[in-house]
Amino acid sequence: VEYLALLVPSHRFPRSIIFSMEDIQALKAKIAKLESEKARLMKSDEVEMSTLDDVDPSKEEVDRRSIYVGQVDYEAEPAELGQFFSQCGVVNRVTILCTQDGKPKGFAYVEFTEEAAVWAAERLDGHIFKGRNIKVCQKRTNVPHMGKSKGKGKGDGKGWKPYADRYSPYGSSKGKD
């Protein structure tokens, strides 16, 4: 039996990883199957997806044409969401956000080609998609540094006490933590 040793320079994998040739052939077959499935989904004519490759719109303009969809079923596919919202207008892109593990977070963004489709899509708020009531609203534009603190503040986190030592009826507060 032939083996392939992989040296991974990472703190997560301090040792080398050893694969047998049968394992490698099985992985290659799995990759080929996944690539064919990807090609099949890309060729799917279920949803009319137009591309705006020749246009470089600003972020605000794209956000005006996009909606946020909450409470999305974890088994939902982008093509299914695109087909659901195609009744509102031409769908340009569907993005389902996932965790680092590749598991869906339960919400998505749908981008349309026209702003009028957003109004029609907002009317689908509360409708059932794959057995769940979905939340639909216009996507908000992210403001850089919004909600981020500039620092930790003053003191040690126990509150600011300007006269704690001089006027405390219980004596000095120094050394009592």
Side-chain angles (χ1 to χ4, degrees), residues 127-159:
H127 277 67
I128 296 176
F129 174 73
K130 292 191 83 170
R132 297 183 70 167
N133 289 337
I134 57 172
K135 309 285 185 207
V136 181
C137 61
Q138 184 168 13
K139 183 180 181 221
R140 64 178 177 83
T141 302
N142 287 336
V143 179
H145 309 295
M146 180 77 162
K148 293 185 180 177
S149 158
K150 290 185 178 183
K152 292 185 178 181
K154 295 182 180 179
D156 57 0
K158 297 180 184 173

Side-chain angles (χ1 to χ4, degrees), residues 15 21-22 29 32 39 42 64 69 84 96 103 108 110 112-113 116 142-143 150-151 154 172 177:
R15 294 180 283 246
M21 295 310 273
E22 291 85 20
M42 295 299 281
R64 282 195 302 270
V69 185
F84 181 79
I96 298 177
K103 298 176 184 174
V110 178
F112 295 99
T113 55
N142 287 336
V143 179
K150 290 185 178 183
K154 295 182 180 179
S172 175
D177 284 338

Side-chain angles (χ1 to χ4, degrees), residues 77-98:
E77 296 290 328
E80 294 170 329
L81 266 174
Q83 185 176 11
F84 181 79
F85 285 105
S86 65
Q87 61 186 322
C88 305
V90 179
V91 176
N92 185 37
R93 178 183 0 190
V94 177
T95 306
I96 298 177
L97 277 83
C98 297

Side-chain angles (χ1 to χ4, degrees), residues 57-66 115 138-144:
S58 68
K59 187 168 181 60
E60 292 83 13
E61 196 264 326
V62 170
D63 288 346
R64 282 195 302 270
R65 293 186 284 116
S66 301
E115 287 184 42
Q138 184 168 13
K139 183 180 181 221
R140 64 178 177 83
T141 302
N142 287 336
V143 179

Side-chain angles (χ1 to χ4, degrees), residues 16-81:
S16 62
I17 302 171
I18 299 175
F19 293 102
S20 70
M21 295 310 273
E22 291 85 20
D23 293 338
I24 292 172
Q25 294 300 326
L27 287 173
K28 284 182 180 179
K30 193 178 225 182
I31 289 171
K33 181 181 175 187
L34 290 172
E35 286 177 351
S36 67
E37 178 70 13
K38 178 183 172 185
R40 185 188 66 79
L41 289 174
M42 295 299 281
K43 291 179 183 178
S44 171
D45 293 330
E46 295 175 358
V47 180
E48 179 184 343
M49 299 279 190
S50 68
T51 58
L52 299 175
D53 293 336
D54 55 335
V55 181
D56 186 22
S58 68
K59 187 168 181 60
E60 292 83 13
E61 196 264 326
V62 170
D63 288 346
R64 282 195 302 270
R65 293 186 284 116
S66 301
I67 58 170
Y68 163 84
V69 185
Q71 302 297 322
V72 176
D73 184 56
Y74 295 109
E75 303 289 321
E77 296 290 328
E80 294 170 329
L81 266 174

